[in-house]
Amino acid sequence: MATTTNIPSSGSYILNFATIKTVNSKSTVSNIQNSVTVNFNSSTGFTINGVKYSYNFTWGKAGSSQIILGDTAGGYFLLTDADVNISNYTYVNDSYGQSNNHWQVKGTDGTRTSLAFQNRGFDPCFLAGTEISVNGATCKVENLVIGDRIDVLVNGKTEQKTVSWVGKSTCVVKPFLSVDMAGYPVRIVKDAIADGVPFKDMLITPEHCLFFNGRFVPARMLVNGQSIFYDQSFTSYDYYHVETEDHAVIIADGVLTESYLDTGNRQSFRQDGDVLSITRSRQLTWDDAAAPLDVSRAFVEPIFQKLSARAAEMGLPLHTQTPVLTAESGLSLSLGNGRVIHPLRTEKNYALFMVPAGIETVYIRSNASRRNEAIGPFVDDRRHLGVLVGDVRIFEGATSRTITSYLHDENLDGWNNVEFYPMRWTDGNACLPLGQREPGTGALLALQILEAGPYVVRAEMPEETALRA
């Protein structure tokens, strides 16, 4: 079970269990129970020996035998495969800022695994109070019922379609994440798009799409901090979505937006009453949508800039701080024993490092940022990017060889997905196996850095707190 990042919602498994608690700023692993029966009874709960445990957040990695679960009250649970000796591991809440929350699992045998926060995503929905256009009038989204006829836009003309399903769910904000990933709703202020559009402040979830020039754009890509911003006054909220027979362009608070597109997440909603004609998830895709989804920078950035200019003309206050940027990568190598080495020099786009004898693994460390933060939300890339590594060569004595393991091992710690062979982005702390070394011989390591930055300058991070069993 624990070799996957997906926690089951049912079934029984033989696992090891422990709790991780923080008391007076000190964290400890305790209550270790080996080879116990864990009964999963929901997507957020399990039972051990009659004791019920609830969780809201998880940290994991495909291929790992350990998963950490958060209970939202400052404590954590640990589940591992039955053959894992928890006492042989140190658990470190190693967060490089709110936008990259993860745990480091370090074994006494020198192994190291990073467990990343498993973001479940956010459904595209309306918050209560949103006014849906119904036959030229409006109805609050929470008051809509199956069978209502709502206004839709078809080929530039207003028609009516029947509501076939109304769903409701609850979001609990995750404040330890970056603002765009935490679940805060997006507030679009009155007149943000045009005079009377919206005709009042609009509140929607970040993935909800607005309709511009024949295409849908997620609200998160238009956040400018003035007329469109994440409303951080919420800690939790109910949200609603409305489905019509076919996906449609509908009108909410005077804004052209979308009805619910059932891509398989219907089970995350609850509803009162019966569904008119749909009894199970339809598993639709954007090929079934009323208009194309377009998240390309070429399409979204001009819309973003136009709305930002309008916000400035309106004299609206800034709700977020403009990030300070740097082009400095801060590139170095960590040897895993606490020692850090810096480049000897740079030749063309190669950074050259002297690696001591006996070192078979190094970590490529650098600054890291997400492009949607460093460049703008109109860039649909929320990966943490450190440096883009191309060719890697090691020179020992009279021999040299090319290292390519980082291009083939998808689960190698600290690397983003392989996009264009032969190159790969680090996430700011990437494991690089050097292979078997010649005994007693130092080596020159050459890293080809194809791209780096820009980076958001962040405040100095607090020291890591080690959690030991």
Side-chain angles (χ1 to χ4, degrees):
M1 188 286 305
T3 57
T4 175
T5 56
N6 295 320
I7 305 294
S9 59
S10 62
S12 298
Y13 300 82
I14 303 299
L15 303 171
N16 296 339
F17 169 84
T19 57
I20 301 175
K21 290 291 185 181
T22 301
V23 179
N24 296 328
S25 300
K26 295 187 66 176
S27 299
T28 57
V29 176
S30 61
N31 190 25
I32 298 175
Q33 302 178 42
N34 294 318
S35 298
V36 294
T37 300
V38 181
N39 298 301
F40 291 92
N41 43 50
S42 73
S43 60
T44 59
F46 58 91
T47 303
I48 300 176
N49 295 327
V51 179
K52 296 181 179 180
Y53 300 89
S54 297
Y55 65 92
N56 293 82
F57 317 119
T58 63
W59 289 259
K61 178 183 178 181
S64 172
S65 59
Q66 307 195 46
I67 293 176
I68 292 175
L69 308 92
D71 66 2
T72 73
Y76 304 91
F77 308 122
L78 173 66
L79 292 176
T80 77
D81 284 347
D83 59 355
V84 173
N85 187 342
I86 294 175
S87 298
N88 287 341
Y89 291 89
T90 296
Y91 301 89
V92 178
N93 193 351
D94 185 12
S95 176
Y96 294 101
Q98 290 184 328
S99 59
N100 192 16
N101 185 281
H102 64 282
W103 290 76
Q104 295 286 352
V105 180
K106 301 178 181 179
T108 55
D109 58 357
T111 59
R112 173 173 164 172
T113 301
S114 178
L115 303 182
F117 178 76
Q118 303 302 303
N119 194 322
R120 298 181 182 179
F122 306 107
D123 300 309
C125 303
F126 304 102
L127 271 67
T130 302
E131 300 275 357
I132 306 298
S133 181
V134 179
N135 293 322
T138 63
C139 177
K140 293 185 185 300
V141 65
E142 62 268 31
N143 295 333
L144 284 175
V145 296
I146 293 168
D148 282 346
R149 299 278 288 176
I150 64 174
D151 295 335
V152 301
L153 188 70
V154 179
N155 296 324
K157 297 181 179 180
T158 301
E159 299 180 3
Q160 282 74 43
K161 284 191 176 182
T162 302
V163 173
S164 58
W165 180 75
V166 179
K168 176 183 178 182
S169 191
T170 300
C171 176
V172 177
V173 172
K174 308 170 184 64
F176 54 84
L177 292 178
S178 60
V179 66
D180 64 307
M181 302 291 285
Y184 293 111
V186 173
R187 181 178 291 273
I188 304 175
V189 304
K190 181 179 181 295
D191 302 325
I193 299 172
D195 291 346
V197 183
F199 55 71
K200 68 176 185 63
D201 281 12
M202 182 183 196
L203 284 166
I204 54 178
T205 53
E207 293 298 333
H208 197 95
C209 287
L210 306 183
F211 185 72
F212 291 94
N213 304 326
R215 296 175 181 270
F216 286 117
V217 176
R220 62 176 168 82
M221 298 187 71
L222 301 174
V223 170
N224 54 40
Q226 289 180 281
S227 61
I228 304 176
F229 60 92
Y230 293 101
D231 191 331
Q232 298 181 60
S233 66
F234 286 84
T235 57
S236 66
Y237 54 87
D238 289 336
Y239 55 88
Y240 302 80
H241 222 323
V242 180
E243 186 174 40
T244 51
E245 304 103 314
D246 299 305
H247 189 243
V249 178
I250 66 175
I251 306 168
D253 293 335
V255 178
L256 294 177
T257 181
E258 61 168 329
S259 65
Y260 173 69
L261 181 66
D262 182 9
T263 56
N265 62 341
R266 187 188 300 274
Q267 70 276 6
S268 65
F269 293 87
R270 61 187 184 273
Q271 74 168 92
D272 298 322
D274 298 324
V275 176
L276 180 65
S277 58
I278 303 169
T279 58
R280 58 176 60 89
S281 177
R282 300 165 70 187
Q283 298 289 338
L284 302 178
T285 70
W286 277 100
D287 290 335
D288 303 299
L293 173 71
D294 197 333
V295 294
S296 68
R297 180 175 179 178
F299 181 76
V300 179
E301 186 174 8
I303 300 171
F304 173 89
Q305 299 295 357
K306 181 178 180 180
L307 297 179
S308 295
R310 179 176 175 84
E313 292 174 359
M314 294 170 66
L316 297 174
L318 187 64
H319 295 271
T320 56
Q321 295 294 324
T322 302
V324 178
L325 303 179
T326 180
E328 295 296 327
S329 68
L331 184 66
S332 65
L333 294 183
S334 171
L335 305 186
N337 57 7
R339 184 178 175 186
V340 175
I341 56 178
H342 299 280
L344 283 174
R345 62 184 184 276
T346 300
E347 294 183 2
K348 295 184 178 179
N349 57 357
Y350 282 86
L352 306 179
F353 298 86
M354 284 301 302
V355 181
I359 300 296
E360 295 187 350
T361 300
V362 297
Y363 288 83
I364 304 171
R365 302 194 65 172
S366 70
N367 291 324
S369 284
R370 300 181 302 155
R371 291 194 164 182
N372 68 303
E373 291 181 313
I375 300 175
F378 46 81
V379 178
D380 190 35
D381 191 343
R382 293 188 281 183
R383 297 173 300 163
H384 291 84
L385 301 181
V387 293
L388 180 60
V389 178
D391 181 43
V392 177
R393 301 180 188 180
I394 188 168
F395 301 85
E396 278 184 303
T399 64
S400 67
R401 53 189 168 86
T402 299
I403 297 173
T404 61
S405 58
Y406 65 98
L407 295 172
H408 306 291
D409 187 349
E410 294 183 358
N411 295 319
L412 193 61
D413 277 347
W415 295 89
N416 283 289
N417 52 302
V418 178
E419 294 177 280
F420 307 105
Y421 188 88
M423 62 189 73
R424 191 174 184 182
W425 280 98
T426 74
D427 70 359
N429 189 25
C431 178
L432 180 66
L434 302 180
Q436 186 173 356
R437 298 285 307 280
E438 292 188 14
T441 304
L444 181 69
L445 181 67
L447 302 180
Q448 185 185 31
I449 306 301
L450 299 175
E451 190 174 345
Y455 305 101
V456 176
V457 177
R458 303 190 185 280
E460 185 177 354
M461 300 303 164
E463 294 183 1
E464 298 177 355
T465 301
L467 313 180
R468 296 187 180 275

